[in-house]
Amino acid sequence: MEVVEKGPGRRRLRGNPWFSLVAVAFGVIMVGLDATVVSIANPFIARGLHANLADLQWVTNGYLLVTAVLLIPAGKLGDRLGRRKIYLIGMAGFALASAGVGLSGSIGLVITFRAFQGAFGALIMPNTLAILRKTFPLEKLNTAIGVWGATSAIAIAGGPIVGGLLVQDVSWQSVFYLNVPVAIIGIIISVLVLHESRETDVESPDYPGIVTLAASLFLLVFGLIKTQTWGWADPKTLACFGGAIVAAGLFIFAEGKVTNPLVPLRIFASRALSMSTISVILNFFAFYGVIFFVSLYLQEVHGYTPIEAGVRLLPLTAMFVISAPLGAVLNHHFGPRFPVTIGMLLSAGGLWVLTSLEVSSNYLLLAIPFVILGLGVGFVLTATSDAIVGNAPSQDAGVAGGVQSTALQIGGVIGTSVLGSVLLDRVGSTLVGKLTHAGVPGALAPKILAAKPLVAEGAVPRIAHIPPALQLAITNGSHAAFLSGLHVAMVVAIAVSLLGAVTGFAIGNKRPSEDQESEMISD
């Protein structure tokens, strides 16, 4: 390892592992805040820019789509050009795109700048893990990732509260402007403390791999996003999924032919890495589905404001602050099998308690499973992140970080799409029954619910130009219908969590043991 220092002060700061962890924490905080504050800002964006429900979906989905497609190429870019450099570009770009969202005067511009946020966010996240991998010795990497996970949890937990305060007392634009000072502080610290690291054997980019992977992820995520509009059996949905499979096959074929693959398939020879990647997908399938629909339950069934709902979600999100470092301790002593398997079983247990929710349920019936679920998700996040990044070769640290972040994103999109479809199907069938009971002919009830214009105000559909008696029938039955759908969705999430416990057991107990030193190139 060759290190070039510039003075004694620089020597104490530059390359210090713990200062480096502080530097990358700002990127994690910025992306974590953005993940939850946007959901709070969406209703205010709709009113301010006269956006409809489809527009608001793309405010979120445009970000997710671009991020999922670019995470692995962004990690590879950091490996080639410099992880510090790409991380700093991501921080600066994310701040500028955030300011662009706030300055936008139309919903089209908001969606466009959200897509840019997704692109720069993709530069940030995999390179945070890669920087930690190249800065910390392997015996301390587990602890660093535990702190990294706890930092992300604090940002996610605080997002609804911070966002609620800003949109109610300042403006929805201020939610996005908040990223600017966070980025400035993070960039200043990063310039002072982060070492540059890159791989010295630089070859031409793997264009076939980039194109086929991007096509596969785009078609998969786009198809999942559109299922609630098209339906799962629609030919367009099936075409997206079929195209994703074909592109994935071409990607695997291409990676076996090039000398410098975008994703070296050799990294998946590690059972721990492969099973951990699957476990991340299953873990966040359950988590994102739960946090989205329980937020609806709090606001639509109990009538809480966004801030009140955010505060009541704290037992779930804030538990990450405890469970992430605790998961790191368990992982250090027992290997990844124990925390991942136990974490997924805890998640299944918390979800099982949520199946008993009713309209009049006491908050304790939410708080207790939130704590259980928060423990489980945090255990899995820390152990799998360490297994993925630590088991990849040192020169592929950025790619490994991209694999972990991509698995997290895909799990979240699949979870919200699948569980959303399950919930909406049950809500629709229950409301059809309510209309029929109110005297509407059975064949006509589904047509009324499908009528346009339709405004879906959270869990309570409101349909224009129908008699008040029918609207009353819909409103009176909506809470019961929502809870019926929520219970079925939780059962599906339980099954996924139990499958995650199986994959967690298959990870094994061996922790990363290779002792590779990274070549640090100081600017």
Side-chain angles (χ1 to χ4, degrees):
M1 179 191 303
E2 180 183 357
V3 180
V4 179
E5 300 291 356
K6 301 178 181 179
R10 184 69 63 90
R11 184 176 295 111
R12 289 193 298 270
L13 291 176
R14 183 65 62 87
N16 180 286
W18 299 107
F19 286 140
S20 299
L21 179 57
V22 172
V24 301
F26 279 88
V28 173
I29 288 171
M30 193 163 62
V31 175
L33 280 173
D34 197 73
T36 48
V37 298
V38 172
S39 61
I40 300 297
N42 272 340
F44 297 84
I45 294 173
R47 287 196 289 269
L49 300 179
H50 309 291
N52 57 35
L53 185 60
D55 294 330
L56 293 182
Q57 287 177 321
W58 278 107
V59 170
T60 298
N61 292 338
Y63 176 90
L64 290 175
L65 187 60
V66 174
T67 303
V69 168
L70 294 181
L71 278 167
I72 291 177
K76 186 68 171 181
L77 200 62
D79 290 340
R80 287 172 52 84
L81 301 182
R83 299 169 182 104
R84 174 177 179 265
K85 178 188 298 182
I86 297 302
Y87 174 71
L88 289 171
I89 291 172
M91 289 281 284
F94 197 94
L96 290 174
S98 299
V101 174
L103 294 171
S104 296
S106 69
I107 191 63
L109 282 175
V110 168
I111 294 170
T112 300
F113 280 111
R114 283 285 290 164
F116 279 113
Q117 272 191 311
F120 288 110
L123 297 180
I124 293 172
M125 289 309 292
N127 285 294
T128 61
L129 284 170
I131 288 169
L132 296 182
R133 173 68 174 87
K134 302 294 286 188
T135 304
F136 280 84
L138 275 174
E139 65 270 16
K140 295 185 180 295
L141 179 63
N142 177 56
T143 302
I145 291 179
V147 176
W148 174 89
T151 302
S152 178
I154 292 171
I156 292 172
I161 300 172
V162 173
L165 289 170
L166 288 174
V167 297
Q168 289 187 16
D169 297 335
V170 185
S171 67
W172 69 261
Q173 291 91 340
S174 63
V175 168
F176 298 97
Y177 294 148
L178 177 65
N179 288 325
V180 177
V182 174
I184 291 173
I185 297 171
I187 289 171
I188 292 172
I189 295 175
S190 297
V191 168
L192 292 174
V193 307
L194 290 182
H195 259 307
E196 184 60 284
S197 67
R198 67 174 71 90
E199 300 313 311
T200 54
D201 297 329
V202 178
E203 300 181 28
S204 60
D206 174 20
Y207 293 114
I210 293 171
V211 172
T212 52
L213 179 63
S216 180
L217 290 174
F218 177 86
L219 290 169
L220 173 63
V221 176
F222 185 78
L224 288 167
I225 288 171
K226 297 297 286 184
T227 52
Q228 294 188 28
T229 303
W230 294 342
W232 288 91
D234 188 275
K236 295 189 291 294
T237 303
L238 298 177
C240 283
F241 293 158
I245 293 171
V246 171
L250 292 173
F251 170 72
I252 294 172
F253 176 79
E255 296 306 270
K257 297 294 183 181
V258 298
T259 57
N260 183 38
L262 175 66
V263 181
L265 299 181
R266 65 178 181 272
I267 69 174
F268 294 104
S270 166
R271 183 180 68 177
L273 188 150
S274 300
M275 290 296 101
S276 293
T277 301
I278 296 172
S279 297
V280 170
I281 294 173
L282 299 177
N283 188 40
F284 282 90
F285 176 106
F287 172 69
Y288 274 108
V290 168
I291 198 169
F292 181 80
F293 296 114
V294 172
S295 296
L296 279 179
Y297 168 79
L298 290 169
Q299 294 182 62
E300 300 297 336
V301 176
H302 283 279
Y304 293 125
T305 66
I307 296 176
E308 291 170 339
V311 170
R312 284 163 177 81
L313 284 171
L314 278 176
L316 171 60
T317 52
M319 275 307 298
F320 290 168
V321 180
I322 299 172
S323 61
L326 181 57
V329 172
L330 295 174
N331 188 44
H332 175 74
H333 288 289
F334 302 107
R337 172 184 287 171
F338 180 77
V340 175
T341 304
I342 294 300
M344 296 304 293
L345 291 175
L346 284 171
S347 295
L351 293 165
W352 177 76
V353 178
L354 290 176
T355 61
S356 60
L357 282 177
E358 299 295 341
V359 173
S360 58
S361 291
N362 187 282
Y363 176 65
L364 279 178
L365 196 59
L366 274 176
I368 293 173
F370 277 0
V371 170
I372 298 171
L373 189 62
L375 277 173
V377 173
F379 285 178
V380 176
L381 175 63
T382 303
T384 53
S385 297
D386 180 59
I388 292 170
V389 177
N391 279 287
S394 177
Q395 67 268 25
D396 297 321
V399 172
V403 168
Q404 189 273 350
S405 299
T406 302
L408 190 154
Q409 293 283 344
I410 289 176
V413 174
I414 295 175
T416 52
S417 299
V418 172
L419 297 182
S421 295
V422 169
L423 185 143
L424 289 176
D425 286 346
R426 177 55 67 97
V427 168
S429 62
T430 304
L431 288 177
V432 166
K434 290 291 181 181
L435 287 177
T436 303
H437 187 264
V440 177
L444 183 59
K447 296 179 181 179
I448 291 177
L449 287 175
K452 301 295 182 182
L454 172 62
V455 180
E457 296 182 351
V460 183
R462 184 169 302 279
I463 303 168
H465 311 306
I466 67 170
L470 294 185
Q471 180 61 59
L472 181 62
I474 294 172
T475 303
N476 288 340
S478 61
H479 291 167
F482 176 79
L483 282 167
S484 176
L486 181 66
H487 294 161
V488 176
M490 293 302 100
V491 170
V492 174
I494 289 170
V496 169
S497 297
L498 292 176
L499 178 60
V502 174
T503 62
F505 189 82
I507 290 173
N509 284 325
K510 185 178 179 182
R511 288 201 61 245
S513 58
E514 64 171 332
D515 190 17
Q516 298 180 355
E517 293 290 340
S518 58
E519 181 179 1
M520 310 301 290
I521 303 174
S522 179
D523 47 350

